[in-house]
Amino acid sequence: MSVDLNQKYGLNPAHSEVVAACQVVPPGAALDMGCSNGRNALYLAQQGFTVTAVDINPASLQQLQQIVDHEGISAVSPQLYDLNDASLGADYDFIACTVTLMFLDPLRVASVLSDMQNRTRAGGYNLIVCAVDSDDYPCPVPFPFTFVPGELSTAYEGWEQVKYNEDVGTMHNGARLRFATMLARKPNDG
Ligand SMILES: C[S@@+](CC[C@H](N)C(=O)[O-])C[C@H]1O[C@@H](n2cnc3c(N)ncnc32)[C@H](O)[C@@H]1O
């Protein structure tokens, strides 16, 4: 697949942290959590991953399925799934969850993270990008969930945090807030 499928179908480019992670994470079985219409899933497939792409929005999944069908892509499987269930049914080498945890039930996020960790193969990777509510940059968007500073790093103690920061970023609407950005590798004996 040499054509840029995101460009071809009018999707945004893959999230910059997904692109960066692909410089580190070897191709394998990937899970795209909260895939929307598939900008990251399609990119990952083009990098050689086999991708399960889950979302709660049937319309987004349908759009991705149409692209997959039209292109005859066997490496992407769009599936309806409520992340709040925290009951992933398979193991993965790479789980990506970019700007999605904020929309989940705050009471379920700890279980979601724990399930992600359990469902990651030894030596595999998790990528998470999520809003942080901090004293210096209170989150200006009423997301159901935000991390407190340091919370995501603490949740991944024992993993190699290949990348971790809580830098200030700008949303599409101009709002400025901190985002926890983490690429972490599960120990080989994990
Ligand atoms: C801001 S979009 C991010 C999409 C994608 N990860 C990206 O980087 O472009 C958040 C996505 O999370 C999905 N979502 C929200 N709540 C969900 C849930 N409970 N289970 C599964 N997906 C959910 C939304 O439908 C939406 O597609």
Side-chain angles (χ1 to χ4, degrees), residues 12-16 18 32-41 54-58 60-61 79-85 96-105 129 143 171-172:
N12 287 329
H15 193 289
S16 57
V18 172
D32 182 5
M33 294 177 74
C35 63
S36 186
N37 47 19
R39 63 172 180 154
N40 297 328
V54 298
D55 205 284
I56 202 169
N57 185 336
S60 297
L61 291 169
Q79 293 177 13
L80 190 66
Y81 174 70
D82 184 350
L83 292 169
N84 288 312
D85 288 351
C97 187
T98 52
V99 286
T100 293
L101 288 179
M102 299 104 84
F103 300 96
L104 301 189
D105 178 348
V129 179
F143 294 123
M171 294 191 64
H172 300 300

Side-chain angles (χ1 to χ4, degrees), residues 31 52 54 79 81 85-92 95 115 119:
L31 175 67
T52 303
V54 298
Q79 293 177 13
Y81 174 70
D85 288 351
S87 59
L88 298 173
D91 295 336
Y92 299 94
I95 300 180
D115 190 42
R119 286 307 198 166

Side-chain angles (χ1 to χ4, degrees), residues 107-165:
L107 298 176
R108 299 296 297 152
V109 171
S111 298
V112 170
L113 294 178
S114 166
D115 190 42
M116 287 171 69
Q117 294 172 349
N118 289 335
R119 286 307 198 166
T120 303
R121 294 187 178 126
Y125 292 80
N126 284 181
L127 171 68
I128 293 175
V129 179
C130 179
V132 172
D133 186 37
S134 63
D135 287 342
D136 59 349
Y137 282 90
C139 182
V141 185
F143 294 123
F145 174 78
T146 47
F147 282 118
V148 297
E151 184 179 357
L152 178 58
S153 181
T154 300
Y156 275 79
E157 270 173 11
W159 289 45
E160 178 193 354
Q161 297 187 19
V162 178
K163 178 174 194 172
Y164 190 89
N165 67 64

